[in-house]
Amino acid sequence: MKTYRNADLHCHSVVSDGTLTPEQLATRAHANGVELWALTDHDEVGGQQRAQAAARAQGMGYLTGVEISVTFIGQTVHIVGLGFDANNPGLVQGLHATRGGRKQRAMEMSEGLAKVGIQGAYEGALPYVGNPELISRTHFARFLVESGVCKDTSEVFRKYLTEGKPGYVPHRWATLKDAVTWIAGAGGVAVIAHPARYKFTPNEEYALFTEFKAHGGRGVEVITGSHSEAEYAVYAQAAQEYGLVASRGSDFHSPDESHTELGTLPLLPAGLPTVWDLLADRIQ
Ligand code: AMP
Ligand code: MN
Ligand code: MN
Ligand code: MN
């Protein structure tokens, strides 16, 4: 079995809310020393063929990828799927349904922003949208930065796009069970994305991990652009305690916005079982 050290199994292209094409990402990943790559667009597998072909052209290993939006105990949780069949009808239909409410939500976000004096945010966000089914908060954030309302996207999220703020619209995504079942049903492995980002109590986090496992989830991101060094250790231990394999991914979105570059995070701690060993026979 080939051993991969520099695996980056989480990033976004123009097919969701990234700013680079799958080909540009593959070139950048390879230039940064990535040996095994996965493109994980939000709720969408439309970029998978291009990503796989681009990875092959660069001589990198590839795993199919997706990041599914889930609602769990009132919060949005992201579940990454890796190594699945991107043409599996159950997965494709489930993702289509998950994308379904985004346009309506975006129009409501725009109404909320209009109430605090920011007019035309929906129309303003549209030119940033690469996939008409996937308008996201990130596209609104880019518009508000470009139009001078905020200095960067983090400020937009802090002031306008997070819970309780004028452009925030609560949304019901897929269930945890559905997301895990779609991924596993398509032959892939489900992974809890950036667990430290959620604001769960210890009991709620325990419920997330145990229910995730009960539904067939197998992995957790340990090294991600969303975690601090202390959190790497916390979730390395959680992986062992819950019997999950570990994953690593930058969550890169854009050269201008992302603070974490493709393929440059610390490697997984030695001795942790990895998601790519579990998926060795799905690597393309
Ligand atoms: P959505 O799926 O439309 O709710 O948008 C979620 C996306 O917004 C995430 O995948 C991130 O790319 C981005 N995002 C969420 N929170 C922040 C933040 N605090 N700063 C910058 N981007 C964020
Ligand atoms: Mn995103
Ligand atoms: Mn995420
Ligand atoms: Mn992501």
Side-chain angles (χ1 to χ4, degrees):
M1 189 161 64
K2 181 167 165 37
T3 51
Y4 295 93
R5 283 163 54 81
N6 193 345
D8 192 324
L9 305 181
H10 190 149
C11 70
H12 300 271
S13 77
V14 289
V15 172
S16 64
D17 62 347
T19 62
L20 301 185
T21 62
E23 292 79 10
Q24 289 170 322
L25 288 166
T27 304
R28 198 174 178 100
H30 184 254
N32 289 346
V34 172
E35 299 162 307
L36 177 66
W37 178 53
L39 171 67
T40 56
D41 278 309
H42 295 285
D43 307 322
E44 172 68 273
V45 291
Q48 292 303 307
Q49 269 195 342
R50 285 172 64 186
Q52 187 189 327
R56 181 174 304 151
Q58 297 288 343
M60 284 185 296
Y62 190 75
L63 282 169
T64 51
V66 68
E67 181 175 24
I68 306 182
S69 314
V70 159
T71 302
F72 185 78
I73 326 186
Q75 288 193 48
T76 299
V77 166
H78 286 167
I79 300 296
V80 162
L82 296 170
F84 49 80
D85 166 12
N87 296 314
N88 178 271
L91 175 68
V92 168
Q93 282 157 28
L95 295 177
H96 180 72
T98 305
R99 292 192 296 274
R102 279 188 181 265
K103 184 175 176 192
Q104 180 62 33
R105 168 190 185 237
M107 291 192 293
E108 290 172 29
M109 287 170 62
S110 191
E111 285 165 24
L113 291 168
K115 287 187 187 139
V116 294
I118 300 167
Q119 304 298 330
Y122 177 69
E123 293 72 19
L126 282 182
Y128 297 92
V129 175
N131 173 353
E133 284 191 17
L134 222 121
I135 181 161
S136 94
R137 286 184 288 163
T138 316
H139 303 114
F140 280 83
R142 290 189 185 128
F143 167 64
L144 294 188
V145 171
E146 286 303 311
S147 54
V149 176
C150 291
K151 68 173 186 338
D152 58 28
T153 51
S154 337
E155 185 186 345
V156 182
F157 275 90
R158 199 168 64 247
K159 290 188 176 165
Y160 295 104
L161 299 182
T162 39
E163 201 170 344
K165 301 299 159 63
Y168 183 79
V169 174
H171 193 73
R172 183 156 279 285
W173 303 105
T175 66
L176 181 65
K177 181 180 180 187
D178 280 346
V180 174
T181 310
W182 296 334
I183 295 163
V189 167
V191 174
I192 300 174
H194 42 62
R197 277 236 312 247
Y198 313 123
K199 296 181 175 63
F200 288 128
T201 64
N203 279 344
E204 289 170 339
E205 186 181 80
Y206 175 81
L208 171 65
F209 276 73
T210 49
E211 289 183 34
F212 172 75
K213 268 204 85 163
H215 296 313
R218 307 282 300 275
V220 60
E221 285 185 347
V222 171
I223 304 289
T224 127
S226 300
H227 285 182
S228 66
E229 263 178 54
E231 287 160 349
Y232 297 157
V234 170
Y235 289 97
Q237 196 183 340
Q240 286 174 312
E241 282 172 6
Y242 288 103
L244 298 170
V245 296
S247 189
R248 170 180 185 264
S250 55
D251 208 356
F252 180 81
H253 282 70
S254 154
D256 304 322
E257 297 159 13
S258 295
H259 49 95
T260 310
E261 181 54 76
L262 279 160
T264 62
L265 286 172
L267 301 177
L268 280 182
L272 278 186
T274 66
V275 70
W276 50 91
D277 283 347
L278 191 59
L279 283 167
D281 63 344
R282 315 281 307 192
I283 295 173
Q284 293 156 333

